[in-house]
Structures are given as structure tokens and as C-alpha cells.
Amino acid sequence: MTQIRTRPERGRSALGPALELVHTGRAPTRAVLTAELGVTRATAGAVAAELQHLGLITVDASPTTGAASQGRPSHRLGVAPDGPVVLAAQVHADGYRAALVGLGGQVVATTPGCGTVDADPAQVIGEAVAAGAGLLAGTGRRCVGAGLAVPSAVAEPDGTALNPLHLAWPVGAPVRGIFRDCLAEAGVRAPTETGFTGNDVNLGALAEHRHGAGRGSRHLLCVATGHRGVGGALVQGGRLHSGSSGLALEVGHLAVEPQGRRCHCGSRGCLDVETDPLAFLEAAGRTPGPESSLLHQSTELLRGAYESDESVRAAAHRLIDLLGLGLAGLVNILDPDRIILGGLHRELLRVDEERLRAVVAERSLWRRGGAVPLLGCTLDHNSLVGAAELAWQPVLDDPLVLQEDVPC
């Protein structure tokens, strides 16, 4: 007779918080887990054992302790290296990428960036899902959800792409519904609601907050270039600030040059068209080629020619000054405790951090912007990892949903 494992009565309500602590690296040992949860050592042990039984974490049963340590050594905790994964996909102006992402933001497998973006969103989303399904079949890993990042504000509660300005998609494309249909067609199933969808920069900021340069921040501002355009996000208390309908922090349409370029939104001089990869290439006198993405071409030019080419240096200074003006305005409004920059903006920070910091300080009230830490994003594929975070959230909320046996 098969013995049926029952749910643990002791610490049931702590399973989700405990998993999130291990997931974000804030509980590397059982002693830290005990302290963070505010429970007894026995309860923490039972919680850790249940998460291990679910295949989500590992518990080192024979930890070692340094010569200077005192007392009983604590068991080390980590995410299970062969545990379940979620399917993450990202669509951008130059194509798509799919990945499998485990707990801890670990990218288990990924496809090369590829494809073209058709005017029909179902075409590229279907290709991305098929690529992710291929990764699942190749690895044999259990899938517990799926998330999609798109270069557009995603309106809630319907999951529609409100303004895919750099794609040929129609305004209001039902990307969440399309994503879910594609998952069903590819046979990707999960024990929780799946098919989560969000803006790529929002999701990149969420990933950086949990696993990268934003870890530990309480009011994190992220500004980043994509393959085209500029996006922003604010993470407060561990959650994305999305506004009343999911459309908050469209910082790309903050005007920084009143007589500047005409923006796709109808205004002029927005960050979106004054500080993105295309703006940099054109300011440097370069004609973009078809051999790689605009983001790749701009970052390679900046890295390789900033010191030696005056036109490249002048273009970088122009973008830095405009970016700094925009960041100063955001500091005045949002009062972040940390700012992280991604894409081309991260490279601008790297080549002339002093200039960018000076502009932010000079243009912000009481020069307060000069005191805000300004860092580059650290995660590869942070939008993919952020899409995975959306898909992992139901499991983080209630790990016991994985007791349902739903294959992919």
C-alpha cells in the first residue's frame, strides 16, 4: 500500500515566505531562515524539509563551520539545481528569445536571439513558445508556468499591448490571450494559472530587484534602452508599481529636448527617441546596418571607439546630458533610493560615470540626485528572468500547488 504524504501542519503558512527567502538568496542557512520567519528552529526545519520534498530546494545535511564559528553549525539552503522550471519568452524589435528559468533566477537553457517580428503578434509569440517547448522536451524538466515580456505597456486587466510603438502590431493586441493560446497549442501545461505577460523593462527591473543590482533596495528606479526606445520601472517594497491599469512609469515619453526629434507618441524630444540606440548611432554619424540589432551595434561602437573617435565621444556626451536631465526629473518626483540603468544606458554610465552623476546632481532639487546610488544592471537576459518571476509567483505564494501532478 502506498503511503500518502500529508501536508505539514507545523509551518504550513510559512512555506511560501520561506521559499521566497531562499529564492532571493536572503536565507542561505536554516538559522537565517528561522530568524527571518520568526519561528522555532523545529518549525523552520519542518518547512525546509517540505520544500525539499517538493523538489524546490536543497538542504545540506552535513554543513561545515569555520574555525572562528561558535555553536551548532546551521544547515545550508539552496535552490534545487535540477528542480522545476518555467518557460520564459521575450519579444523585441529584432526578434525573440525563449528560455527555461529555475528558482533563484537561474537560466537553465536558452535559445539564440532570432526570428523576425511579423505584424501578426501570434506569429512571433507562437514561434517563441515553440522554441521554449523544444527546450522543455530537450531537458525533460518539469514546467510550472510561463511568462512573456513584450516591448509595450501591457494594460490590465485584459493583458493587451497598448502601445507597441516599435513593432508593427496593432494597438491593443491581446498578447496575453495569444500567449495562452500558443501555450495550449504547444502542449505546455502547468499546475497553476499560466501565460503571464508584462512590459520588458518592468520585468527586467523586477528581476534585478530580486537577483541583481537592485537587491536590497526599497524604492528602485530602473531606466533602460531596449533594442529600440527607452523604458522605465519602479519597484517599491518588492512589488512593481504599475499604476491603476498597468501603465505607470512610461519614462520613455518624458520630454528632455523640446525642439528635438518627433517621437512615435506624437510629442517631441522624448527620452525614447533622444537616448535610444538609433539616436546614438545617428548622432555619431553612423548608418545602422542589417548585420545585428541596433542595441548591439550601438554598444559595440561605444565600447570600441569612445576613447579614440571624437564623433562617438560627442554623441555619448549628448545622450548622457539628456539622460541625466530625465533622471533628475524622475528623482524629484519619485525619490528612489537606487537607480539602475540597462541596455545602452548602462554603457553610457560605464564610459563616463562622473559626467552622468554630475548632470543628475545639478538638475535635481537641492542636488539630491547626486546622493542616489547609480548602478548598471547586472543580469544577462533580465527581462526573460523577470517574465519567469511572474510565472514563479503562484508557486512562491503557495508551494503546495506543486502537489498537483500536471505534466508539460
Side-chain angles (χ1 to χ4, degrees), residues 247-284:
L247 308 179
L249 271 293
E250 280 289 306
V251 305
H253 302 290
L254 180 66
V256 292
E257 183 65 275
Q259 304 305 316
R261 303 161 184 256
R262 177 69 68 180
C263 183
H264 307 278
C265 71
S267 185
R268 280 191 180 275
C270 297
L271 281 174
D272 205 62
V273 291
E274 297 290 349
T275 68
D276 82 333
L278 180 60
F280 174 68
L281 290 170
E282 291 182 347

Side-chain angles (χ1 to χ4, degrees), residues 19 22-24 55-57 78-88 99-110 136 141-145 207 210-211 384-393 395-396:
L19 181 59
V22 178
H23 170 62
T24 56
L56 296 170
I57 73 169
V79 299
D82 56 351
V85 295
V86 299
L87 187 160
L100 304 182
V101 184
L103 282 168
Q106 298 178 351
V107 178
V108 173
T110 182
L136 285 169
R141 301 286 279 267
R142 183 186 183 191
C143 176
V144 297
R210 293 185 176 180
H211 308 293
L384 277 171
V385 174
E389 290 296 313
L390 292 184
W392 271 114
Q393 194 59 52
V395 179
L396 295 173

Side-chain angles (χ1 to χ4, degrees), residues 54-66:
L54 291 169
L56 296 170
I57 73 169
T58 59
V59 181
D60 188 342
S62 56
T64 59
T65 180

Side-chain angles (χ1 to χ4, degrees), residues 12-13 15-17 19-20 239 392-401:
R12 282 177 58 183
S13 63
L15 285 173
L19 181 59
E20 185 161 343
R239 301 290 179 180
W392 271 114
Q393 194 59 52
V395 179
L396 295 173
D397 292 337
D398 180 14
L400 292 174
V401 298

